[in-house]
Every structure is written in C-alpha cells, then in structure tokens.
Amino acid sequence: MIWRCNDKYKRGNSVPCTTPHLTEDEIKSAFLTAFNLVLENRSEIMEAYREVIEALTDTSDLDLEREQLQNECEVVMELIRKLIDENAARAMDQAIYQSKYSAYCERYERANARLAQINARCLEYTAKRVKIQMFMEQLKSKEELVTDFDEELWYSTVDYVTVHRKKKMVFTFRDGRQVEIPAEMWTVA
C-alpha cells in the first residue's frame, strides 16, 4: 500500500504537492523508531505527566463559573416567569413590559452562550485527559523496545504524522509530544 498527500493531484493546484509517497512498511518502521525513542524516556515522561496532567485538564474554575451561570439562568427564567405572570394579572404598559422582557431574554442568552462555551471547554479538557491517559497506559505497558508493529499501539498513541521532503516524518503523539524521524533513522526490513 502506498500513502501520499491528499492534495497531491488536486485540481486547481498549479504545482502538485512535492512530498514523497510512502509505503505502509516505511510508515510502520518510522513509527517503531519514533515510539522506541519515546520509550527510552518513559520514566521521565511518566513522572512529568503525573505532575502536570491535573494542571493541563483542571476544570475546577470552569466548574465554579458553570454553577454560577446555571444559577443565573435559573434566576433570570424565574424573573421572566414573574414578569409574564404580572403582565397577565394586571394591565401593564406594554412598552415597559416588552423592554423588561427583552432585557431578561438578552441576559439569559448571554449567560447561556457562556455556559455553552464552558461546557465545550470542559469537554475538550476531558478529551485531552483521556488522550494523555491512553498514551501513558500504552507507554507503561511496554517494558522493552517494540520490534513489531501493533495497530492498537498506533491508534492509541499517534495523533497524526506529518511527512516532509526526503521522507522525514514528524510523529505527533496524543500527549502532544512530537518526534522527528529523518529517513536515515528507520529502515524497512
């Protein structure tokens, strides 16, 4: 199997992509080299991640803001309900009613929009934590250098690979670590 740039022959490109094609065996060999380089620093990596994983994925400030915004939304919804009840119970100046109603709705929408942003960020932090934990588990499970390609290891540790000229590859692992592998460092058996 041969791998090449998705834009190699894309219509509209006046100059096709010049990155070389790679065989699947070349990619696997380069991965083994990259992963084994990471394994050599396993204890250093594990110790560093134990200390920083909480800092990288801490949502306590966001959780506090989320709680405050949820309370704000509840308060504003109650204010809207009371305003509607008051308007139904007695004759109110409709311009004043509409002005108050619009202000409450805007207040609610602002709080709700910020709440959505916080929820998205918390989800992002959770995904980051899971990716790093998966990477660390794979790292922990490998006692010796890896000699055979393992598809599960690939999927659980590699985020993406960037190919440069002369078949140099940069592996970006799920923990964010990047390992550059020039073609001279890997060989296909």
Side-chain angles (χ1 to χ4, degrees), residues 24 31 36 38 40 59-60 69-70 128 133 135 137 157:
E24 191 160 318
F31 165 70
N36 285 329
V38 171
E40 288 176 2
T59 61
S60 56
L69 287 167
Q70 286 170 336
K128 184 186 288 187
Q133 287 173 334
F135 178 79
E137 285 173 23
T157 60

Side-chain angles (χ1 to χ4, degrees), residues 16-180:
C17 178
T18 58
T19 56
H21 72 271
L22 295 165
T23 66
E24 191 160 318
D25 288 339
E26 289 173 323
I27 295 169
K28 289 176 178 180
S29 179
F31 165 70
L32 292 173
T33 302
F35 188 79
N36 285 329
L37 284 173
V38 171
L39 269 183
E40 288 176 2
N41 299 317
R42 174 185 27 234
S43 59
E44 173 190 317
I45 293 168
M46 298 300 282
E47 188 59 38
Y49 276 115
R50 280 186 198 99
E51 296 172 9
V52 298
I53 194 168
E54 284 302 317
L56 287 174
T57 60
D58 181 27
T59 61
S60 56
D61 290 342
L62 293 173
D63 292 337
L64 181 61
E65 187 178 354
R66 177 178 20 209
E67 185 178 330
Q68 291 169 343
L69 287 167
Q70 286 170 336
N71 289 338
E72 171 78 3
C73 287
E74 288 173 15
V75 166
V76 173
M77 287 302 293
E78 183 60 23
L79 289 171
I80 290 172
R81 189 192 60 73
K82 284 182 180 180
L83 181 65
I84 292 170
D85 288 348
E86 183 182 344
N87 188 46
R90 67 175 179 84
M92 286 181 71
D93 180 333
Q94 290 306 295
I96 293 172
Y97 167 79
Q98 195 59 46
S99 174
K100 284 183 177 182
Y101 182 81
S102 295
Y104 288 151
C105 287
E106 286 177 29
R107 184 174 159 189
Y108 178 84
E109 290 302 321
R110 276 194 310 272
N112 205 33
R114 178 65 184 144
L115 191 56
Q117 290 173 340
I118 288 172
N119 287 335
R121 187 182 263 161
C122 285
L123 191 60
E124 184 180 305
Y125 284 3
T126 301
K128 184 186 288 187
R129 176 186 294 265
V130 167
K131 284 170 99 176
I132 291 171
Q133 287 173 334
M134 282 176 48
F135 178 79
M136 288 175 61
E137 285 173 23
Q138 286 296 330
L139 208 54
K140 257 192 275 188
S141 72
K142 303 298 176 190
E143 295 297 323
E144 298 175 5
L145 295 182
V146 180
T147 57
D148 295 321
F149 182 80
D150 178 348
E151 199 169 312
E152 182 182 330
L153 181 63
W154 168 277
Y155 285 120
S156 63
T157 60
V158 175
D159 198 13
Y160 60 91
V161 180
T162 306
V163 178
H164 298 276
R165 290 195 172 126
K166 298 183 182 177
K167 296 190 177 187
K168 177 180 86 173
M169 291 182 243
V170 177
F171 287 82
T172 302
F173 289 94
R174 292 195 180 278
D175 70 336
R177 178 177 311 276
Q178 291 188 324
V179 177
E180 186 175 305

Side-chain angles (χ1 to χ4, degrees), residues 4-10 13 15-20 163 165:
R4 65 172 172 80
C5 175
N6 289 339
D7 295 332
K8 182 99 175 164
Y9 302 109
K10 190 174 187 179
N13 286 354
V15 179
C17 178
T18 58
T19 56
V163 178
R165 290 195 172 126

